[in-house]
Amino acid sequence: MAYICNGTKITFQLRYFIKLAYKGTNYHGWQVQPNAITVQELLIKSFSTVLRNPVEIVGAGRTDAGVHAEQFFAHVDIENEFNVKEIIYKINALLPNDIVVYDIFKTTENAHARFDADSRSYEYRLFLGKNPFLTETAWQFITTKLSVEKMNEAAKILEIYTNFKCFSRSNTDVRTYNCNIMLAEWKQINQLLVFHITADRFLRNMVRAIVGTLIEIGKGKMTLEEFKTIIESENRSNAGASAPSQGLYLTQVTYPKTIFNNEQ
């Protein structure tokens, strides 16, 4: 959008949120990286091609290689208004089948997809058995029976702590390891065992490290007291191994209602 003021062209950019989803199997995570295909890279290329103008796209966070997102938000600044349905159709035509844009809507000027998020929710899906159709979308666990009851007791312990350095990837540049976990629980439907977790923020590799440690409790190889000691140690080497990436899904990102005041 441009205006002429005293002979000078002044350009105003409008901020839009993008609602999308992706299956992460074929990608090296969300964030653009050298020598690796990422979701952000393909989204930027598609938007830039359709809008015929280079754009920058900022995501709600980072997902690791192989991790999926059922709901993901990003923001982009665009100079001109456009036909939303037409643009979504054209962008989806360019994107591979494992990435989809569901919606694009105008938001407030300073809304930020990453920093304005109130909470994020993840699911980790574990299949108790072998299923050839779930090799890329769940951790197939066939070796040992698990005590879901004990795993849920341990999950509730997470809600009373705030420092989760023991579940963070080493050598990260975060300013704090504090996270407010609002929900942590396992639910089972037949052979599918799903871990649900919601927090205001997450550390890198945090959910997969938590799941891997809870599995040790389910196997009977770790007690609840030992689990507490691990959290209090703030030492990643004391926690369990990270669960495989294919079972992890970002399922929801929430924002203050004020961000959507200009929603179309």
Side-chain angles (χ1 to χ4, degrees), residues 23 46 81:
K23 180 187 175 189
S46 298
E81 295 197 37

Side-chain angles (χ1 to χ4, degrees), residues 17-230:
F17 262 37
I18 308 161
K19 182 181 179 182
L20 66 144
Y22 53 87
K23 180 187 175 189
T25 305
N26 295 322
Y27 305 106
H28 205 74
W30 158 261
Q31 190 169 354
V32 170
Q33 298 180 38
N35 305 316
I37 299 176
T38 68
V39 178
Q40 186 183 30
E41 173 191 350
L42 295 181
L43 203 64
I44 289 172
K45 286 181 178 179
S46 298
F47 268 80
S48 298
T49 299
V50 171
L51 296 173
R52 298 180 182 179
N53 200 39
V55 299
E56 294 296 327
I57 295 177
V58 177
R62 293 184 290 190
T63 54
D64 289 338
V67 175
H68 318 291
E70 290 187 341
Q71 184 191 80
F72 193 91
F73 286 97
H75 75 248
V76 61
D77 293 333
I78 301 174
E79 186 173 319
N80 298 309
E81 295 197 37
F82 52 86
N83 183 305
V84 171
K85 290 185 178 179
E86 181 180 332
I87 292 297
I88 291 175
Y89 175 82
K90 290 180 178 179
I91 287 171
N92 280 329
L94 291 176
L95 288 169
N97 291 334
D98 47 13
I99 305 174
V100 59
V101 170
Y102 289 126
D103 199 6
I104 305 171
F105 50 88
K106 193 188 301 181
T107 184
T108 52
E109 181 182 359
N110 298 315
H112 198 286
R114 179 183 175 190
F115 297 131
D116 286 336
D118 285 329
S119 70
R120 295 168 177 83
S121 296
Y122 284 88
E123 288 182 8
Y124 192 92
R125 299 174 188 175
L126 192 152
F127 186 78
L128 301 174
K130 187 175 181 180
N131 186 325
F133 302 104
L134 299 178
T135 55
E136 297 176 338
T137 54
W139 182 10
Q140 298 189 51
F141 202 86
I142 59 177
T143 56
T144 310
K145 290 186 177 180
L146 300 172
S147 171
V148 179
E149 181 180 354
K150 286 293 183 184
M151 290 161 63
N152 259 327
E153 287 181 39
K156 287 301 174 187
I157 291 173
L158 292 168
E159 297 178 21
I160 65 176
Y161 286 92
T162 54
N163 187 313
F164 296 102
K165 186 176 181 179
C166 69
F167 298 125
S168 174
R169 180 172 293 174
S170 302
N171 302 319
T172 56
D173 55 355
V174 296
R175 282 180 277 181
T176 176
Y177 292 95
N178 288 347
C179 307
N180 177 25
I181 295 180
M182 309 158 193
L183 170 72
E185 64 179 1
W186 290 90
K187 290 186 177 180
Q188 184 173 357
I189 302 176
N190 299 322
Q191 289 177 271
L192 186 63
L193 183 59
V194 182
F195 179 58
H196 301 264
I197 185 166
T198 299
D200 59 343
R201 63 190 291 267
F202 287 91
L203 306 169
R204 291 201 67 185
N205 200 55
M206 178 174 165
V207 180
R208 290 168 58 197
I210 288 174
V211 170
T213 308
L214 292 177
I215 291 297
E216 293 300 298
I217 291 174
K219 290 178 179 178
K221 294 184 176 181
M222 182 186 298
T223 67
L224 297 179
E225 286 304 315
E226 288 171 334
F227 185 63
K228 292 178 183 178
T229 300
I230 287 170

